[in-house]
Amino acid sequence: GPIMAMQWDPEQNRLITGSRDTTVRLWDTRAPGKSIHILTGHSDWIKCVAAEGDTLVSGSCDGRIKIWSIDSGESKMTLQGHTGSVNALTMWPSPLPHPDHTNNNDHLRFITASADSSLRVWDAITGTCYHTMQGHSDEVISCSKFLTNSLASASFDGNIRIWDPEQGKSHRTIAAHAHRITTMRVDGSSIITGSWDKTAKVCEFGLDFRVGGSNQQ
């Protein structure tokens, strides 16, 4: 089926794709056409994939998140919590070491954005949901790490929100568009969005943008 999501790791010569046929596939880019693993378990379109180390995370229109081992291709766990499609996800390493684990992946987290208008912060090892971040009033279509410790999200409500994932709270809202935002990219201190209102906007932020006032626009 059509490919809906992908991530390329040039250092590992590895391409990960997610498809409308409900599968996630791992490819060796040195051997075109050769899939290393075909991962099955979702029941609807794959909307997003992300990987770090041996951990692969996939999100689907079925509302579920699956965590896989890249090396073995085995499913580690299935997470539920969102009540709508999982549209986007991003990996989010923890700032603190975990006393019970030793390697870098043992305290890896990730953040998901959903059609249910929320974002969630998850532990990739235990499956714990640390925070459910609410504030958008419509489907959240994108999320991405922003500056040092913040997360940016964009929604069909026309707004960009800046979050502190450690606290699970939004500390700034930008009314960027009059209609739904359909795409977002983060580049340094800039957030670029495109919308159904037929415009693209670039929002620039200083490194001290959290300082002062209510941080609302």
Side-chain angles (χ1 to χ4, degrees):
I3 293 172
M4 307 299 292
M6 63 181 179
Q7 179 174 311
W8 181 41
D9 184 345
E11 293 185 359
Q12 298 295 324
N13 297 297
R14 183 178 63 217
L15 178 68
I16 301 167
T17 58
S19 172
R20 283 177 61 175
D21 67 9
T22 76
T23 68
V24 176
R25 294 182 183 237
L26 280 68
W27 307 85
D28 184 344
T29 57
R30 296 166 297 186
K34 179 183 178 181
S35 57
I36 304 168
H37 297 300
I38 301 174
L39 311 180
T40 61
H42 284 291
S43 60
D44 209 334
W45 299 6
I46 309 300
K47 293 294 292 291
C48 49
V49 293
E52 187 163 325
D54 183 48
T55 300
L56 166 63
V57 184
S58 59
S60 168
C61 287
D62 63 15
R64 296 184 297 167
I65 300 147
K66 291 190 74 68
I67 300 176
W68 315 81
S69 165
I70 290 177
D71 290 341
S72 69
E74 295 179 354
S75 174
K76 293 181 177 180
M77 69 183 79
T78 301
L79 306 179
Q80 293 181 291
H82 285 299
T83 57
S85 170
V86 181
N87 293 331
L89 66 91
T90 187
M91 307 308 280
W92 194 271
S94 171
L96 298 174
H98 194 289
D100 297 330
H101 302 292
T102 56
N103 67 53
N104 290 336
N105 274 347
D106 278 343
H107 206 47
L108 182 67
R109 294 178 297 176
F110 63 93
I111 299 170
T112 53
S114 173
D116 66 11
S117 78
S118 75
L119 298 100
R120 288 177 176 249
V121 183
W122 306 85
D123 188 305
I125 305 303
T126 66
T128 301
C129 179
Y130 292 115
H131 301 294
T132 299
M133 302 191 295
Q134 297 178 317
H136 284 295
S137 60
D138 206 336
E139 184 166 345
V140 187
I141 56 91
S142 185
C143 63
S144 183
K145 189 177 183 193
F146 178 57
L147 296 178
T148 304
N149 296 311
S150 295
L151 179 87
S153 64
S155 167
F156 279 1
D157 64 14
N159 294 331
I160 300 167
R161 279 185 175 263
I162 311 297
W163 306 83
D164 178 354
E166 302 302 326
Q167 300 298 320
K169 296 179 180 179
S170 171
H171 52 68
R172 189 162 187 176
T173 303
I174 301 96
H177 292 274
H179 214 312
R180 59 178 59 180
I181 296 173
T182 52
T183 186
M184 180 189 78
R185 294 291 182 271
V186 171
D187 184 4
S189 61
S190 301
I191 299 175
I192 304 98
T193 52
S195 168
W196 271 23
D197 64 13
K198 302 179 182 179
T199 67
K201 291 189 178 182
V202 179
C203 297
E204 297 276 359
F205 298 85
L207 295 179
D208 60 346
F209 76 98
R210 291 186 60 182
V211 176
S214 64
N215 286 324
Q216 302 290 313
Q217 283 189 352

